[in-house]
Amino acid sequence: MSLALLFPGQGSQRCGMLGELPGSAAAQAVLDEARAWLDDHGLPANLDDEAVLRDTTAAQIALLITGVACARTLGDDYALRPQVVAGHSVGAFAAAVCAGVLTLPEALAAVALRGELMSAACAHGEWGMAAVIGLPTRAVGRLADRLHTELWVANVNTATQTVLAGSLTALRTAAGAAQAAGAADFTMLDVVVASHCPVQSDTARRMAEHLSRLPRRIPSVRYLTNTGGRAVRTADAVLDDLAESVARPVQWYDATRLAPELGVTCAVEVLPGHVLTRLNAVNAPSVLSLSLSDNGFERTSTLVRRMRD
């Protein structure tokens, strides 16, 4: 059996999610280390409060902390250590920590910078993202090209689920056009920035400069990239992906379809949510896909062990 850990991105955050973490020594150690870093940098420790989570930076840091705490609990308390890691958007930073490419403080600093730069890039105007369900990605891309100069394909999640990023004006126009073209659904996401598109080009450049100063550590497991949906095993490839993906579409469909070819037989999505589990069930039906939100740590570990045995 080969295990993949999946780390969700912004949009999956929810109020109180840090409080949902288990009371394990591993999770507590992550929380203590993160709170010390937050205190040193003048950031609030109550990142998962409803009002605080509206801030892009706070939401992304909270997702990072949650992801790392879950991964370490699975490893330390349940002996479930992955052979492959994949993170959707900001979830990739937790994946990079799990792979040993970044330390938690390095990831916290990088994600804090990323959130600040993303917010600054969208400070003028109103921006957002929306999921289009029921149309092929190519059709959604043509729709975006035809409709508006401030509208781009941002995530390719499945063959028929694509996320658009752009101005709210462009997204409102896209909603009607997508439904007229036969889309089953058009849903605005819980984000106030446009990510994975040219709006964030300067963010990607600044992130690359920041990450270039970090030590290079060989990944301990395979890391699936956002930018290409491929498996990499070098620090440079991981760090390049972390920098570039903020301005390029997330190729989640390709990444999850590749996983079975790498021998992955089971995928566990860490807290919070189960969006990636549902996407994985569509993209890689041969893989047993489980979410900690739906199953908890005990049941998840039991199901994984049954498959292993």
Side-chain angles (χ1 to χ4, degrees):
M1 186 203 76
S2 183
L3 174 66
L5 285 189
L6 309 180
F7 299 86
Q10 193 174 354
S12 293
Q13 73 273 8
R14 63 185 180 217
C15 181
M17 64 186 188
L18 292 173
E20 296 174 16
L21 290 170
S24 65
Q28 191 59 53
V30 170
L31 288 172
D32 290 345
E33 187 176 10
R35 284 168 180 157
W37 187 92
L38 292 167
D39 186 59
D40 287 345
H41 292 80
L43 295 172
N46 58 334
L47 292 171
D48 59 348
D49 281 4
E50 185 175 2
V52 180
L53 274 180
R54 295 193 188 104
D55 177 72
T56 294
T57 302
Q60 293 190 16
I61 293 175
L63 287 165
L64 167 65
I65 295 168
T66 302
V68 173
C70 288
R72 292 189 179 168
T73 296
L74 287 171
D76 291 0
D77 292 6
Y78 299 96
L80 296 182
R81 294 182 173 83
Q83 288 71 52
V84 174
V85 294
H88 196 289
S89 189
V90 73
F93 285 85
V97 174
C98 187
V101 175
L102 296 178
T103 65
L104 179 57
E106 288 170 349
L108 287 165
V111 169
L113 176 62
R114 183 182 190 267
E116 291 166 6
L117 292 172
M118 288 175 67
S119 295
C122 295
H124 301 290
E126 295 181 305
W127 302 86
M129 302 177 76
V132 184
I133 299 173
L135 292 178
T137 295
R138 188 170 296 178
V140 177
R142 288 196 297 266
L143 181 147
D145 291 341
R146 174 172 57 85
L147 285 180
H148 210 288
T149 57
E150 294 182 336
L151 189 65
W152 303 271
V153 169
N155 303 341
V156 182
N157 287 333
T158 74
T160 57
Q161 184 184 125
T162 308
V163 172
L164 291 171
S167 67
L168 291 187
T169 298
L171 289 169
R172 292 187 190 105
T173 302
Q179 289 165 357
D185 193 26
F186 187 99
T187 303
M188 293 296 297
L189 303 184
D190 187 19
V191 295
V192 294
V193 295
S195 186
H196 308 296
C197 66
V199 172
Q200 301 295 342
S201 294
D202 188 61
T203 301
R205 180 185 63 79
R206 296 276 299 278
M207 288 300 299
E209 291 174 354
H210 174 82
L211 294 171
S212 70
R213 296 190 286 269
L214 298 182
R216 266 40 183 175
R217 305 179 185 93
I218 299 173
S220 58
V221 299
R222 291 180 183 269
Y223 168 101
L224 300 182
T225 65
N226 276 233
T227 52
R230 62 191 182 93
V232 297
R233 288 296 296 264
T234 69
D236 282 337
V238 173
L239 295 175
D240 286 348
D241 184 62
L242 293 176
E244 295 170 7
S245 66
V246 72
R248 293 172 56 185
V250 174
Q251 303 296 337
W252 192 253
Y253 179 53
D254 289 342
T256 49
R257 290 184 71 204
L258 175 63
E261 296 180 26
L262 300 174
V264 171
T265 54
C266 182
V268 173
E269 179 181 2
V270 304
L271 299 172
H274 44 228
V275 170
L276 301 186
T277 302
R278 294 176 177 178
L279 295 179
N280 212 53
V282 173
N283 296 342
S286 65
V287 174
L288 174 65
S289 299
L290 305 166
S291 79
L292 290 177
S293 287
D294 289 341
N295 296 288
F297 284 82
E298 290 288 348
R299 177 166 169 74
T300 296
S301 66
T302 298
L303 293 171
V304 173
R305 286 198 182 90
R306 283 179 187 169
M307 188 169 195
R308 178 187 293 167
D309 299 339

